[in-house]
Amino acid sequence: MPSSLLLTERNRLLCALPQHERQRLLLSGETVAMHVGEVLFEAYQPIRHLYFPLSGFISHSYHSSDRRSIELGLTGYEGMLGATVILGVDTAPANAVVKADGEALRIDIRHMQQLALTCPTLLSIIKRYLYVLLAQLMCNATCGHYHGVEHRLARWLLTVQDCVQSEHLQLTHSDLAGMLGVRRSAISIAAGLLKTRHLVQYKRGHITIINRQALERETCKCYSILKSEYARQLEHIENSE
């Protein structure tokens, strides 16, 4: 396989495409670096490019009128940023900011709209990924209302680990407070409990997951539900090729 196609093996959605569709995406896009703090989308502003992360991860958040924010979801190598353009909408529904350095395949929105018309598997994958995003939003709303901070923290740590594929996470308590929409003091208490149970270790700006299996037992069911649903949708695509 050409080295350029091997690049797409680093994103699960691209990997699910037949080779000729992957080749067309590569010819239409470019590999770019993503840096922590880089703003890729601003809510209700025009989308110019779509991103398929190859490493690192992106945070989706919404800011209220009183400047408070809450995390809506994360996108890493398992997904893409900008899937809503296939609905004919060229504005971003939320802010998207890089939270861990990495790389992405970036494609101009006009090229993607053209590709979606002539690449049936690509279109099917994006539609199913949109379904996964919708399920994630609905699950997050329920989780944030009914589940405790400790269980939600365990879930987000596992989700971030899935995105970066490493047990070493560069996250501050302030980052986690923003993700969960709670006070920093609540994160300190919840993280302290996880540390006491020897599930994580942390020092300023760094968290290390030292017992993933035990951490999975501490999280709410939302984590396994969403992970299973993503796998089911991806399996459907792979089996239909």
Side-chain angles (χ1 to χ4, degrees):
M1 183 182 294
S3 58
S4 57
L5 284 178
L6 285 173
L7 188 71
T8 62
E9 297 287 342
R10 294 163 56 192
N11 179 281
R12 291 192 67 185
L13 299 184
L14 295 178
C15 190
L17 291 172
Q19 184 169 322
H20 68 280
E21 290 194 15
R22 270 192 276 168
Q23 184 65 59
R24 291 190 62 188
L25 256 73
L26 282 170
L27 292 174
S28 300
E30 60 179 340
T31 304
V32 296
M34 302 191 301
H35 303 288
V36 172
E38 182 180 357
V39 178
L40 302 181
F41 286 1
E42 291 187 57
Y44 310 124
Q45 296 302 308
I47 295 174
R48 293 183 172 84
H49 299 94
L50 288 81
Y51 297 82
F52 290 87
L54 308 173
S55 57
F57 74 94
I58 301 160
S59 162
H60 309 266
S61 62
Y62 186 82
H63 298 270
S64 64
S65 57
D66 58 1
R67 297 186 178 182
R68 289 186 294 180
S69 66
I70 189 167
E71 195 91 30
L72 302 174
L74 304 174
T75 298
Y77 82 108
E78 84 296 333
M80 65 176 293
L81 180 65
T84 51
V85 300
I86 69 158
L87 302 176
V89 181
D90 62 358
T91 54
N95 301 297
V97 180
V98 177
K99 287 293 186 178
D101 291 340
E103 291 184 313
L105 179 66
R106 185 176 71 181
I107 301 176
D108 183 275
I109 182 175
R110 293 166 298 179
H111 292 157
M112 178 57 76
Q113 289 169 334
Q114 293 169 0
L115 288 167
L117 295 174
T118 55
C119 296
T121 305
L122 172 64
L123 181 59
S124 180
I125 283 177
I126 296 176
K127 286 180 177 179
R128 288 185 176 275
Y129 184 65
L130 276 173
Y131 164 79
V132 170
L133 291 179
L134 180 59
Q136 184 182 81
L137 286 172
M138 296 173 73
C139 189
N140 287 348
T142 304
C143 185
H145 187 74
Y146 290 110
H147 298 157
V149 174
E150 183 184 344
H151 299 301
R152 292 166 58 205
L153 175 60
R155 177 190 163 205
W156 278 109
L157 291 176
L158 290 168
T159 302
V160 172
Q161 184 183 23
D162 290 341
C163 287
V164 300
Q165 303 178 74
S166 171
E167 67 272 17
H168 302 291
L169 314 178
Q170 295 188 18
L171 293 169
T172 65
H173 283 196
S174 294
D175 291 332
L176 292 167
M179 287 179 176
L180 272 63
V182 299
R183 294 182 182 276
R184 189 178 181 278
S185 57
I187 294 296
S188 297
I189 293 171
L193 291 172
L194 296 179
K195 183 178 180 181
T196 299
R197 295 171 190 157
H198 306 290
L199 306 183
V200 303
Q201 292 178 339
Y202 61 83
K203 57 182 179 180
R204 188 174 183 84
H206 293 82
I207 296 177
T208 301
I209 296 175
I210 57 177
N211 191 335
R212 180 182 171 93
Q213 289 185 337
L215 190 62
E216 288 181 357
R217 291 193 292 269
E218 289 294 326
T219 189
C220 54
K221 293 294 184 182
C222 300
Y223 175 74
S224 60
I225 289 172
L226 288 176
K227 192 167 185 178
S228 296
E229 189 56 30
Y230 173 87
R232 188 174 74 87
Q233 295 300 325
L234 197 64
E235 182 181 11
H236 179 91
I237 294 295
E238 293 170 342
N239 290 340
S240 64
E241 285 189 35

